[in-house]
């Protein structure tokens, strides 16, 4: 996982370059995203930020997440049940393993993905610009509980 301080600096840099103010609430949101070991939802980010900033609204979190996503500083993972989750540590396309029981999301390192992308481009003629590869299953913790 990337160093949280480095990720925070990169996000702050991107915001400043695009003339966004760096407010204490915005810094708190960035901190949650940079330090997250998982893939938090907007609601989860909100719960963590409102501890220190009780006047923060859910709308503020949504707006900031949208800005960070537009600036390429956040990867959005949309799921069919409308439970979007966000990755502030790896804001680029990469595979995920999702537990269908507890909804935990992990980032496996799969070196063959670059080869697969190139092969798909060769086979189909597509200029691949993005990808999404998710694997679904039951995590070891949930397997142990069953």
């Amino acid at each position: 996982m990337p160093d949280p301080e480095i990720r925070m600096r990169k996000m702050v840099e991107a915001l400043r370059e695009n003339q966004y103010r760096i407010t204490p609430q915005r810094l708190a949101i960035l901190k949650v995203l940079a330090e997250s070991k998982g893939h938090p939802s907007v609601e989860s980010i909100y719960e963590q930020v409102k501890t220190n900033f009780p006047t923060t609204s859910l709308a503020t979190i949504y707006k900031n997440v949208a800005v960070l996503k537009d600036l390429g500083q956040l990867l959005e993972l949309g799921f069919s049940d409308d439970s979007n989750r966000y990755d502030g540590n790896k804001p680029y396309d990469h595979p995920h393993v999702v537990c269908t029981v507890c909804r935990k999301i992990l980032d496996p390192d799969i070196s063959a993905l670059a080869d697969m992308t190139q092969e798909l481009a060769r086979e189909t003629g597509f200029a691949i610009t993005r990808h999404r590869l998710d694997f679904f299953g039951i995590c070891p913790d949930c397997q142990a509980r069953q």
Side-chain angles (χ1 to χ4, degrees):
M1 182 167 88
D3 182 290
E5 287 183 32
I6 293 171
R7 278 301 305 139
M8 284 260 318
R9 278 198 301 270
K10 286 183 179 182
M11 287 188 270
V12 167
E13 223 172 82
L15 289 166
R16 281 194 175 126
E17 285 173 3
N18 289 276
Q19 283 77 51
Y20 286 96
R21 291 182 333 128
I22 308 302
T23 64
Q25 286 177 320
R26 186 166 275 153
L27 284 173
I29 294 166
L30 299 181
K31 185 175 180 178
V32 168
L33 290 165
E35 292 180 352
S36 176
K37 289 181 174 51
H39 299 74
S41 64
V42 167
E43 292 78 12
S44 171
I45 297 166
Y46 171 69
E47 289 301 320
Q48 293 176 64
V49 169
K50 80 173 187 176
T51 303
N52 294 321
F53 297 94
T55 60
T56 300
S57 70
L58 193 55
T60 297
I61 306 298
Y62 272 106
K63 287 177 196 169
N64 278 280
V65 163
V67 165
L68 290 166
K69 184 180 147 204
D70 289 345
L71 295 177
Q73 296 300 308
L74 199 59
L75 180 67
E76 180 178 49
L77 304 173
F79 293 101
S80 60
D81 64 355
D82 295 326
S83 63
N84 291 355
R85 305 275 286 278
Y86 298 89
D87 193 337
N89 291 309
K90 291 183 173 182
Y92 47 85
D93 294 333
H94 60 277
H96 296 93
V97 179
V98 182
C99 179
T100 57
V101 177
C102 71
R103 315 271 304 150
K104 180 189 313 179
I105 302 173
L106 300 178
D107 297 330
D109 287 323
I110 299 176
S111 59
L113 193 55
D115 295 336
M116 185 188 309
T117 304
Q118 291 171 356
E119 183 179 346
L120 276 168
R122 274 194 311 274
E123 289 290 320
T124 64
F126 274 65
I128 307 293
T129 57
R130 296 198 62 231
H131 72 267
R132 169 124 186 226
L133 183 60
D134 295 329
F135 297 89
F136 296 88
I138 302 172
C139 73
D141 292 339
C142 290
Q143 288 178 55
R145 283 192 289 271
Q146 289 181 343

